[in-house]
Every structure is written in C-alpha cells, then in structure tokens.
C-alpha cells in the first residue's frame, strides 16, 4: 500500500489533522476526484480539519502528488496558524451584489507572519485588490505569491493600506489553479 493505514481509516496522525477518507461519496453527484484540485484543496488549508471523500489508494499519480503537496503544506502551516488569528478579508456570498471573490487569512502575532488564500469563484472581474489587516505597521515584510512567484518587500503599514493586487481567472470557467492564490507574508530580519 502506498498510503499508511492511518490515512485510509477514519482519522490520521494528529500532526496532520483529521484526514477522513471514504470510498463512497454518499449523496454527492460525480466522482470525488473531480474536486481534488488546487482550488478546492486550498479551501482546506484555512478551514481546520482536512477531510477528503475518496480512497487515496485509487488516485492517479498526478492527483496523488497534488494531495501529498497539500498534506505537507497543511503540516507546515498548522503549527503557527493554529494559534493565529483568522482574518476574514473578503467573505464569499455575503450579499446579493457579491463580486465572486473570497479571501481568508491567518496572522500569528507571536511569529508576526501571515498567510492569505484568495479564490475567484465567479464573475467577470479578473483583477481585485485584496485587503489586509492585523500586521505590525512598523515591521517590514516579504510578500510572496505562491502561484505567480512574485515577491516584494513592504512595511506592514504599506501592505494594509494598499492590499494585494491580484489577477485571477474565474474558477467557474477554468477549474484550475489560475483562479486561486496563496500569499505568504513573512517578517524581514526576524
């Protein structure tokens, strides 16, 4: 077996979180593997337990590699994000005039670092400024965009004033990683 028994059962190693897997997808239409993509897995990064409704033993190599990538990313984030402050930056479907974008972050004041995950669910607006809050205004940070590879440095004050400018495709039409982004905000000199 490629996957340790704890991943195939009801719960997994507590260092990873809860990885619930089932062969059946009761009540759901379509195969579960269609939801195993960057867009959906990034939702798990910010939402607590890591649940899947599929059998990891039956994944094709590409999806298995993607799942492994996000299990490792979840393990990297969890130790500092668990004691961080959740940042509701852009709520999905908050009002009838919702623009199709959502952003959720986590800021750990002890480590003075943050992660922001952005999703473009729907709508024609492909460019958006994502607000940011909670940073130390006097601290300088490195901002790194996981998808585009873009990096820059700015003070907490500058980041909170300007936000993060993004251009993302719409998930409803692309079903790809081009419709989501992970933004890392790490302090310089610490």
């Amino acid at each position: 077996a490629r996957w340790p028994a704890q991943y195939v059962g009801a719960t997994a190693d507590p260092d990873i979180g809860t990885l619930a897997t089932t062969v059946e997808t009761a009540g759901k239409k379509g195969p579960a593997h269609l939801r195993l993509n960057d867009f959906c897995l990034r939702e798990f990064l910010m939402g607590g337990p890591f649940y899947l409704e599929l059998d990891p033993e039956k994944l094709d190599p590409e999806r298995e590699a993607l799942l492994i990538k996000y299990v490792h990313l979840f393990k990297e984030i969890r130790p500092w994000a668990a004691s961080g402050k959740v940042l509701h930056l852009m709520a999905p479907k908050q009002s009838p005039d919702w623009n199709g974008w959502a952003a959720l972050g986590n800021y750990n004041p002890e480590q003075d670092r943050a992660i922001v995950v952005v999703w473009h669910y729907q709508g024609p607006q492909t460019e958006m400024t994502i607000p940011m809050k909670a940073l130390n205004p006097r601290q300088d940070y490195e901002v790194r965009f996981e998808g585009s590879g873009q990096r820059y440095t700015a003070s907490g004050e500058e980041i909170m004033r300007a936000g993060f400018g993004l251009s993302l495709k719409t998930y409803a039409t692309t079903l790809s990683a081009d419709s989501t982004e992970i933004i890392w905000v790490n302090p310089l000199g610490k």
Side-chain angles (χ1 to χ4, degrees):
R2 296 180 312 214
W3 287 83
Q6 73 262 27
Y7 296 136
V8 182
T11 60
D13 185 314
D15 291 337
I16 297 173
T18 302
L19 180 58
T21 60
T22 60
V23 176
E24 300 295 322
T25 56
K28 302 216 189 276
K29 295 180 182 178
H33 71 273
L34 291 176
R35 293 185 298 275
L36 187 59
N37 58 40
D38 285 284
F39 192 90
C40 294
L41 286 169
R42 287 178 181 180
E43 290 179 337
F44 286 115
L45 290 178
M46 305 306 288
F50 197 147
Y51 288 98
L52 294 174
E53 294 179 340
L54 53 83
D55 183 349
E57 294 285 332
K58 296 181 180 178
L59 293 174
D60 61 64
E62 182 181 340
R63 286 201 170 93
E64 181 179 26
L66 188 65
L67 179 58
I68 289 168
K69 169 187 167 182
Y70 280 95
V71 167
H72 287 293
L73 192 55
F74 186 78
K75 288 173 72 173
E76 178 186 338
I77 294 167
R78 185 175 177 198
W80 62 268
S83 59
K85 176 183 177 183
V86 175
L87 306 173
H88 297 275
L89 302 171
M90 295 180 75
K93 302 177 187 172
Q94 188 172 335
S95 66
D97 60 342
W98 176 54
N99 64 13
W101 289 73
L104 189 62
N106 187 296
Y107 172 72
N108 183 303
E110 291 176 17
Q111 294 188 22
D112 195 22
R113 65 191 294 194
I115 181 172
V116 175
V117 181
V118 182
W119 301 269
H120 184 199
Y121 288 92
Q122 63 186 33
Q125 190 173 357
T126 59
E127 294 185 3
M128 180 63 59
T129 298
I130 309 303
M132 186 58 184
K133 56 187 175 183
L135 298 176
N136 176 348
R138 294 177 302 282
Q139 174 65 45
D140 287 330
Y141 295 91
E142 177 190 49
V143 177
R144 181 175 57 88
F145 295 79
E146 180 93 9
S148 71
Q150 177 188 0
R151 293 174 184 255
Y152 66 88
T153 58
S155 70
E157 180 180 352
E158 292 167 326
I159 295 168
M160 290 186 292
R161 184 179 59 247
F164 307 109
L166 279 181
S167 178
L168 295 175
K169 294 179 181 174
T170 304
Y171 180 70
T173 58
T174 65
L175 300 178
S176 75
D178 295 340
S179 53
T180 180
E181 180 65 91
I182 298 174
I183 305 168
W184 301 91
V185 183
N186 292 304
L188 293 175
K190 284 192 175 182

